[in-house]
Amino acid sequence: MTSLLAFGSYIYQSASAIILIFAVSHILSPAQYTSFSLALATSQLACVFVFEWLQLAGVRFLAAACGAEAARLRFSLFAAGGLSTLVLLLAGSVAGLLGTLHAGVVVLALTMAVLQGATDLYFMIVRVSDRLATASALLILRASVLLAGAVAAAYLHGTAASTLCGIAAGYGAVLLVSLLVHRTSLQRPSPNAMLGDWGNFCRYGIMAAAASVIHLSVPVTLRLIVIATLGRATTGAAGFSMAIDLLQRPFSVLVAAIHTVCYPNVVVQFERSIDGEARRTTARMLDFILCATIVMLGGLIGLLPNAAHLFVPADLLVDFLGAAPVAAIFYFLHTHLQATLAIVPHLTKSATRLVVVAACQLVLVSAAASIGAQLHISVAGQIASAALATALVILFASGPLIRFRAAPRALLVVEATVAAAAIAMLATAPSDSLLWLAGKIAVAGLAVVLVTWRGDLLASARR
């Protein structure tokens, strides 16, 4: 039941983020929405750049720790988080002076990055403290508060800065509530012990986080290249930005949910040197990730046109629909390169390999999109070239997972692919009436239930 609550919290968070994007796009002008989108993406990238290494190190080292060791590691994490905040504020201030965004927007973006990093770090600590239900409830609360704050601020003032201010206020409020709901024990280590902890965090966490930053900079770079071609104030740029904003969330949130539930157990099995059990646990996790994301890809392609006609502003609809399907394919591949293929390198702490793979993706995607822009191909063509470049990197980055021999069930993956293709074909079916639309949703839901039942995926999550 707790696992279901965890998955539900991530689904709710994803749905809230999608509703937020739809609502804000209706309230803000295209130019304001593009500025909001760029500032939000930059803030999230800065948050990952400064805090992701602590999150990765925290999960990797705290999952198998207990008692006094866990209390000491938590203190070291918080202390490192404080130093990371100072670094972010200093670097962000300098970048803001050199950049083109308004100073107020830069301040809000930095504030959001700090508050998001602090809440994410605390939620991680709650999760690895065997309080999965509490962490899930806090995720639901945060998603609700962020949605309410952003929409209210955008409606009242109608600017990108006010919308960002609403989100920042939401992060701050939820952080205060989190500190009251869950009070974790801390044990201050000696300076030498803390430096030792920081050394362990840095050797693994910083390199792993650098890989995450590079991966996350890939869609940001793609966004900048395309928007530079279209012009920031055009409806084409706004429609493309909306597609990029929406379609990165379903895959990343779903995979994050599966990682939250399953990955700590994988770490424990690996640390106990139970090779056979570690492989079986990892294989079941891969089953879940692959089947869930494959079916989700089919659902996005099949049902997104209906959702777009209902929720996307009319002046952005054509550009959004032109970019959305291929953007879904790009993020499907991008998520698996960033998260799925990285499971084994994370377990073995081979962080340098993660950086090399991420750098290869950034170089190839940037080159492919830039060439597409120079050749004046369509926006969909530029995204497709980025997807092909990502697929090429996947082929060369699969070695550690293959050698670990934690293979997912091939038949189950094939069944999930067939189900996804069937759902994607629903895009060609009529949906003028609510009855047709309800029928398409019912067919998609039935396919999801069949894949889940055939793979016994929920049971795998509980193991």
Side-chain angles (χ1 to χ4, degrees), residues 18 20 93 133 203 278 292 299 301 312 318 350:
I18 291 172
L20 188 154
S93 300
R203 278 189 291 273
I301 294 175
V312 174
V318 173
S350 304

Side-chain angles (χ1 to χ4, degrees), residues 9 15 58 107 127 169 196 200 243 262 282 293 303 354 366 372 374 398 402:
S9 69
V107 171
R127 164 64 186 99
N200 292 331
C262 301
T282 305
T293 53
L303 299 177
L354 297 174
S366 300
Q374 292 296 321
S398 302
I402 294 173

